[in-house]
Amino acid sequence: MKFWFVTGSQFLYGEETLRQVEEDSKKIVAALKLPFPVEYKLTVKKTEEITKIVKEANYDDECAGVITFCHTFSPSKMWINGLAMLQKPWLHFHTQFNDNIPNEAIDMDYMNLHQSAHGDREHGFIGARLRMPRAVVAGHWADPEVQGKIADWMRAAVGSLFSKNLKIVRFGDNMREVAVTEGDKVEAQIKLGWSVNTFAVGDLVKLMDAVTDDEIDALMKEYAELYDFDKADEETIRYQSREEIAIEKILVREGAKAFSNTFEDLYGMKQLPGLATQHLMHKGYGFGAEGDWKTAGMTAIVKAMYPDGNTSFMEDYNYDYKQQVILGSHMLEVCPSIAAERPRIEVHPLGIGGKEAPARIVFEGKAGSAKVLSLIDIGGRLRLIAQDVECVKPFQTMPNLPVARTMWKPAPSFLEGLECWIIAGGAHHTVLSYDITDETVRDFARIMGIELVVIDKNTTKYQLERDMMLGDIIYGR
Ligand code: MN
């Protein structure tokens, strides 16, 4: 994936100025330290050039987005035809080559050359006039903080392209009678590009039966490198590895990057996939339990934005009003990428599902600032809810709860944070990410054209109620 850098100008100032504009643009691009490469493409001077480069950007699968900047004035009517057909994420970088106004050097020529304060306003107008979703970042290009904002947008752009190609495999349906894990899959494909389809558990079991000992041995080695476990549990763990290998074969065969399953539909399987699912998440696959394909998809997207990051499927379970924390966990399926220390595989009985005692990875989640994300179908539209949380080291050991666990305090404060989440309709399933930033969440929702509800330190529940009403007017109900 790479990003294209296109500089806006025009013929008015002569060849020498255009040469300088190009040279400066290349210097800017070379100095950007970003998570994905940026390629300087062209200084555009006329309608035909802009239309052509937009078509090329749309067509190039490796182009994740387009960054524009107007070094000089670049009359915006010549941008209309091109921008109107742009299908890639767009960032308008409002920068200026020099970071100051020189006292002696400034004359009319200098002013013509270094006039992004002027040219970028024309460029901004046409973005607003076309009602185009775009990120706007202002500041000097050498400033690391400014570059950080571009990096945040890049993550969102990469996530959006990933989303548009995302295939999600469902083993079994949603958990019976549960509402929030339901949703309009056609709408999800129209808005997010997700292809969500079901695959028979019986076929998965057939593939599991065909997994060889050699395949299992190889995966067991991988487990041993990452996790501690007792020799006595090996047989149970080998069964999880059999499940993991078979699930991944289907994911690879289908080109899928996320999956869901449900404990209500495990016919022919001896254990609920615990370790299997956890290790698949660790490898970058998205997952949602109880048929929750929406959380599976969002988990995969955040993992694609931050390939070496700390992101997991998560579920809210219990409160401690004194300590003002939420206990987050799941029956089994929490990703070890959020572990505070080296995790352990353990085998314990599971009260739900009526299967054999499954192997699972047990650990404490790490402390730190994070976000929980929930994608819900609110009827006629998708709503993404993002809440700031502060993860803390669990204040007790909970020796009889042998699952991965973490604790956090929600923003703006414990109780108001809970009230806000409930008012917004946030699910009990979430994506917990220690990586995703406010900018990236906002950029992603804007690129995808979905409703975003942010709950952070500035949120109040009454303002949030108002936002819900406004959302119904903006998006329809
Ligand atoms: Mn659940």
Side-chain angles (χ1 to χ4, degrees):
M1 285 293 177
K2 57 182 152 185
F3 289 81
W4 289 16
F5 194 96
V6 177
T7 305
S9 191
Q10 60 175 325
F11 286 115
L12 184 68
Y13 316 105
E15 282 303 312
E16 181 46 39
T17 299
L18 286 173
R19 255 197 305 279
Q20 195 60 50
V21 164
E22 176 153 316
E23 202 182 305
D24 291 351
S25 300
K26 286 178 177 168
K27 272 186 201 156
I28 292 173
V29 169
L32 297 174
K33 289 186 182 63
L34 296 165
F36 302 92
V38 181
E39 194 180 315
Y40 166 77
K41 293 303 275 193
L42 193 66
T43 294
V44 292
K45 287 104 33 205
K46 55 179 183 176
T47 304
E48 292 74 15
E49 283 176 334
I50 296 165
T51 309
K52 184 165 177 284
I53 205 148
V54 167
K55 283 183 186 167
E56 286 168 5
N58 287 343
Y59 191 73
D60 188 334
D61 286 341
E62 280 175 11
C63 172
V66 177
I67 299 169
T68 59
F69 145 68
C70 296
H71 196 310
T72 65
F73 198 85
S74 182
S76 274
K77 280 160 79 172
M78 71 188 195
W79 284 80
I80 293 174
N81 294 17
L83 287 177
M85 66 172 79
L86 178 64
Q87 293 165 343
K88 293 290 167 83
W90 172 26
L91 181 138
H92 178 180
F93 189 20
H94 181 41
T95 190
Q96 172 179 283
F97 185 70
N98 291 327
D99 68 355
N100 62 356
I101 301 167
N103 187 36
E104 297 291 328
I106 193 160
D107 56 14
M108 279 317 290
D109 285 346
Y110 182 98
M111 214 154 74
N112 274 334
L113 176 61
H114 297 283
Q115 57 169 324
S116 31
H118 178 198
D120 268 338
R121 279 175 163 72
E122 170 78 353
H123 200 55
F125 165 74
I126 207 63
R129 175 67 181 81
L130 290 166
R131 270 82 174 167
M132 283 188 67
R134 77 244 200 253
V136 178
V137 172
H140 193 251
W141 48 272
D143 182 346
E145 227 174 272
V146 172
Q147 292 193 19
K149 289 185 189 173
I150 300 176
D152 284 343
W153 168 79
M154 281 181 156
R155 304 272 186 195
V158 164
S160 77
L161 286 196
F162 178 88
S163 179
K164 284 180 181 158
N165 295 298
L166 179 58
K167 293 192 171 76
I168 302 174
V169 163
R170 305 171 71 221
F171 296 111
D173 203 343
N174 294 54
M175 182 179 164
R176 286 187 281 274
E177 304 291 353
V178 175
V180 77
T181 54
E182 293 284 355
D184 183 342
K185 300 186 203 76
V186 174
E187 180 69 10
Q189 187 150 9
I190 293 167
K191 286 308 234 191
L192 304 172
W194 300 1
S195 166
V196 187
N197 288 295
T198 191
F199 292 83
V201 176
D203 288 336
L204 172 61
V205 171
K206 244 193 242 170
L207 271 176
M208 278 168 49
D209 292 343
V211 171
T212 66
D213 281 344
D214 284 354
E215 288 173 300
I216 293 175
D217 289 344
L219 187 51
M220 289 295 287
K221 257 187 213 158
E222 213 176 308
Y223 289 165
E225 275 166 28
L226 293 167
Y227 320 116
D228 294 328
F229 53 85
D230 289 342
K231 194 113 183 82
D233 290 333
E234 243 180 53
E235 271 321 296
T236 311
I237 295 170
R238 285 181 76 84
Y239 190 79
Q240 287 282 333
S241 111
R242 180 182 293 281
E243 291 181 325
E244 173 174 340
I245 291 161
I247 292 169
E248 189 168 23
K249 278 181 184 170
I250 292 178
L251 296 176
V252 169
R253 187 190 77 200
E254 298 303 323
K257 293 283 191 249
F259 70 106
S260 67
N261 58 17
T262 166
F263 65 89
E264 288 174 340
D265 194 351
L266 297 174
Y267 189 84
M269 297 169 82
K270 290 183 192 163
Q271 298 175 29
L272 175 71
L275 161 62
T277 298
Q278 291 175 289
H279 190 59
L280 283 167
M281 264 195 276
H282 196 46
K283 288 202 266 192
Y285 291 103
F287 173 76
E290 291 99 47
D292 188 351
W293 53 270
K294 295 197 299 301
T295 308
M298 278 313 300
T299 305
I301 289 171
V302 178
K303 281 177 175 288
M305 291 171 175
Y306 303 89
D308 302 313
N310 314 101
T311 298
S312 179
F313 171 71
M314 186 47 72
E315 180 163 293
D316 304 73
Y317 258 108
N318 299 95
Y319 296 134
D320 193 301
Y321 291 111
K322 261 197 187 142
Q323 300 286 332
Q324 305 211 316
V325 291
I326 301 172
L327 168 65
S329 187
H330 203 259
M331 281 193 294
L332 305 174
E333 309 94 331
V334 178
C335 178
S337 69
I338 66 162
E341 47 216 32
R342 187 175 160 92
R344 220 184 124 66
I345 303 175
E346 295 181 21
V347 178
H348 300 277
L350 188 65
I352 290 175
K355 296 283 170 181
E356 289 178 10
R360 80 287 303 273
I361 309 173
V362 180
F363 57 87
E364 271 187 6
K366 56 183 191 178
S369 299
K371 279 186 201 299
V372 284
L373 308 176
S374 172
L375 181 71
I376 58 170
D377 184 333
I378 196 73
R381 69 178 185 274
L382 296 163
R383 171 181 291 166
L384 181 62
I385 305 162
Q387 184 169 37
D388 286 356
V389 299
E390 191 62 33
C391 294
V392 295
K393 181 176 167 48
F395 66 92
Q396 46 198 14
T397 57
M398 300 173 286
N400 296 312
L401 189 73
V403 288
R405 75 290 286 286
T406 176
M407 287 183 179
W408 66 81
K409 296 170 186 287
S413 62
F414 182 59
L415 293 182
E416 193 162 13
L418 303 183
E419 287 165 350
C420 287
W421 190 263
I422 300 287
I423 288 167
H428 55 282
H429 284 170
T430 57
V431 183
L432 172 69
S433 171
Y434 291 71
D435 308 299
I436 197 164
T437 65
D438 195 52
E439 293 265 349
T440 302
V441 170
R442 289 176 190 277
D443 287 336
F444 178 76
R446 189 190 315 108
I447 292 167
M448 305 317 289
I450 58 172
E451 183 187 14
L452 174 67
V453 174
V454 169
I455 305 170
D456 61 16
K457 63 179 194 307
N458 300 316
T459 308
T460 68
K461 69 171 175 176
Y462 298 121
Q463 170 215 324
L464 191 80
E465 280 177 328
R466 187 94 188 142
D467 287 349
M468 301 296 99
M469 293 177 203
L470 287 173
D472 281 338
I473 292 166
I474 294 165
Y475 297 93
R477 56 190 304 174

